[in-house]
Amino acid sequence: MSAVSTDTPTVDRQSERRWRRRGLMALAILLPLTLAETSHDSVREWLHGEDLIARDVEFGQSVPFGGSGWKLADLRGGKAGRLPNHAYAVIATFTVTIGDPDLQKQWLGCKLMLTDAARRRWLPDFISGVSLPDGVMNCASAIFSGAKKGDVITVGDTFIVPEDAVKTIRPAVGLGSERPWYLRFQRPPK
């Protein structure tokens, strides 16, 4: 009968431990780098799609934004139309001096909004019985208005705001070409 060896080849255990430690260290370094590389485009796209960083503007001041000069013209509100209890209609209007007339590029993603002290936001809303004053366009109309360099147009919209926010609301403007920054205007003096 032949003898079969049951001995296993000897492995240098110290060398094996060293390679395991090196592998774990490489994993600890490469895994975060891989996550950063794969998520970079997503984070950049998210930042460019959201209004995250406010540039505060004093009332009466005109500020260049999206190739044009923006100035808060008026902010008014009250009970009007068919609104739920404890809700107010608000109209915010801006005078805009056109600088770069390519509004379809500069103003893509134009968003008028209201913010309050609690960092809540309201987007424009249709209110039955409430309309914009004559000559005031919403963002979409202004983009396709054919405005030329130097023209002054009025842009605005209507909002529904809860009663508890009326005293602290501030109008704001976000444009795709300027994101993640947006303009947040001080309220008109009383």
Side-chain angles (χ1 to χ4, degrees):
M1 208 167 187
S2 67
V4 176
S5 173
T6 59
D7 293 337
T8 58
T10 59
V11 176
D12 184 359
R13 293 188 189 269
Q14 195 172 24
S15 175
E16 183 180 333
R17 286 184 191 140
R18 194 174 324 130
W19 278 105
R20 282 185 185 169
R21 270 187 260 133
R22 286 180 185 166
L24 288 174
M25 286 189 325
L27 185 63
I29 293 169
L30 292 175
L31 185 61
L33 288 174
T34 302
L35 287 173
E37 173 63 26
T38 58
S39 64
H40 177 263
D41 288 339
S42 298
V43 169
R44 190 180 72 213
E45 194 66 31
W46 177 71
L47 284 174
H48 285 284
E50 295 294 324
D51 300 306
L52 300 173
I53 305 166
R55 286 179 44 201
D56 288 325
V57 180
E58 295 294 323
F59 180 74
Q61 182 181 4
S62 179
V63 177
F65 196 65
S68 298
W70 289 77
K71 179 180 175 182
L72 178 62
D74 194 17
L75 179 68
R76 65 175 74 174
K79 284 290 210 182
R82 296 181 187 172
L83 294 174
N85 291 337
H86 308 291
Y88 283 83
V90 175
I91 297 176
T93 56
F94 301 86
T95 55
V96 184
T97 304
I98 304 300
D100 182 347
D102 188 3
L103 301 183
Q104 293 177 25
K105 177 182 174 192
Q106 294 293 329
W107 290 18
L108 186 66
C110 177
K111 182 178 6 175
L112 302 184
M113 59 193 138
L114 298 178
T115 64
D116 74 349
R119 298 183 184 257
R120 297 179 292 180
R121 290 185 183 183
W122 293 270
L123 296 176
D125 207 343
F126 174 77
I127 304 170
S128 177
V130 177
S131 60
L132 291 172
D134 288 340
V136 177
M137 299 178 266
N138 64 21
C139 273
S141 299
I143 289 172
F144 298 102
S145 68
K148 308 265 186 278
K149 182 176 180 142
D151 287 354
V152 178
I153 62 173
T154 306
V155 178
D157 229 320
T158 57
F159 302 85
I160 300 174
V161 179
E163 183 177 14
D164 67 331
V166 168
K167 292 185 177 172
T168 63
I169 56 170
R170 293 175 63 184
V173 177
L175 300 174
S177 64
E178 297 288 338
R179 287 190 177 101
W181 293 273
Y182 69 98
L183 298 180
R184 182 173 55 196
F185 292 83
Q186 289 292 335
R187 298 165 56 97
K190 293 183 180 188

